[in-house]
Amino acid sequence: MAQGDVKLIGAWPSPFVLRARIALNVKSVDYEFLQEQFGAKSQLLLESNPVYKKIPVLIHESKPICESLIIVEYIDEVWSSGPSILPTDPYDRAVARFWAVYIDDKWFPAMKGLATAKGDEERKALVEQVGEGLGLLEEAYVKSSKGKAFFGGDEIGYLDIAFGSFLGWIRATEKMGGVELIDEANTPGLVKWAESFSSNPAVKDVLPETDKLVEFAKILQAKHSGSS
Amino acid sequence: MAEEVILLDFWCSPYGARVRIALAEKGVKYEYREEDLDDKSSLLLEMNPVYKMIPVLIHNGRPVCESLIAVEYIDEVWRGQFPLLPSDPYERAKAKFWGDFIEKKVHEPGKKTWKKKGAEQEEAKKEFIESLKLLEGELGDKPFFGGDTLGFVDIALIPFYTWFYSYEICGHFSIEAECPKFAAWAKRCMQKESVSKSLPDRQKVYGYVLELKKILGIE
């Protein structure tokens, strides 16, 4: 497929953008990555996503697709000759979608809160919340993988992508906060999974480095306290 | 194998109604079980341990939680003559986008039109109407978001219509006046048996809202 056909508007630190990049890589799709400048939204972004004005936006043959999970499903459906991202069985699909929505609606807000938490009490409560979520995801992993490497089985699938895109930030949060979020004691399955996921060919070149994310987080925090 | 379909639900839940309408559209026979939200059944707690919320669709003993995920599941399992989601990937992506929009930009501000007062209420009304206008734009000249028949977005949205009456009274505004196209679409949906039989009476919903307001201490 000609490179001009597929564009992705995004930014390197965003786990949501990462979902789209990994999905495109799974399908070996060439695309043009349009990096948004931090703090200033491009005209193309505002035109392509007038409702939310947020990244990622996939532009395929000039048509915009918004919302990361919707983009991943779109990629799976359009490039259907490549490896499947969603499971084939409707029940397995429903389960995968359920956990992806859980990650976005319940788990991520706690993670995000942790990055900007002030004070030990708030931090402690959020670490507990994040930990609880990871416990649920560990169970989901064991059930879904059925002994194989990924949520999706032998190959990375929808839920691997939905959750794995946060790995960089999980590691950065662990480093900055001196906490262990994914660990042998509580989430042994996810420890192994994390290694397999980050070294997967579709992932390893696009997963942001932990240290770069830590740097970026510091800049964000400085901006936060600067403006308050 | 005989199909066993159970729906754990609550009479005025718009989320539950989405699943009811989808099942009705597909002609699927199911057992409806009303949950007491103040005394949840052990089945509900077992089938939805993460959220402990309705609706839960239980198909041959396996739970599907989250209303739009259940609607999509129903569409995939009972393919039949009338697909709820379009077959074209771009159209599907658009339908899912608008389905998701309803939660963020219709339900969220909508709630505030009866829960809040003063400036917050006015702001919520504004956002709510703006969202309905965007949806009107998406509807265009089609009778339904799904085209000639009810589709995913119609099913995702119409259940909230029975709550809109309460929003109008509490917020002192008229949806028909502000968004006539939207009001016309809603009337068309209500003419469908799968919809009218699945939705509660809006007066009853208003009565429920008044009870909630008392409990929450809202004037």
Side-chain angles (χ1 to χ4, degrees), chain A residues 24-61:
Chain A
L24 288 165
N25 286 351
V26 166
K27 303 285 188 174
S28 305
V29 174
D30 282 328
Y31 65 98
E32 192 186 344
F33 186 56
L34 301 171
Q35 179 99 246
E36 282 288 295
Q37 292 310 310
F38 185 61
K41 298 184 189 206
S42 70
Q43 193 54 34
L44 184 63
L45 174 60
L46 299 176
E47 277 168 16
S48 312
N49 191 357
V51 175
Y52 301 117
K53 308 174 177 52
K54 279 187 179 177
I55 50 164
V57 180
L58 182 76
I59 307 180
H60 181 213
E61 292 169 348

Side-chain angles (χ1 to χ4, degrees), chain A residues 88-127:
Chain A
T88 36
D89 177 74
Y91 187 72
D92 293 338
R93 290 156 78 88
V95 171
R97 286 171 177 147
F98 173 87
W99 287 112
V101 167
Y102 171 80
I103 287 163
D104 283 2
D105 288 357
K106 289 273 174 279
W107 183 79
F108 175 65
M111 263 299 280
K112 204 168 161 206
L114 194 54
T116 52
K118 293 178 171 62
D120 285 332
E121 280 225 29
E122 195 190 349
R123 173 168 285 277
K124 211 171 150 225
L126 285 167
V127 169

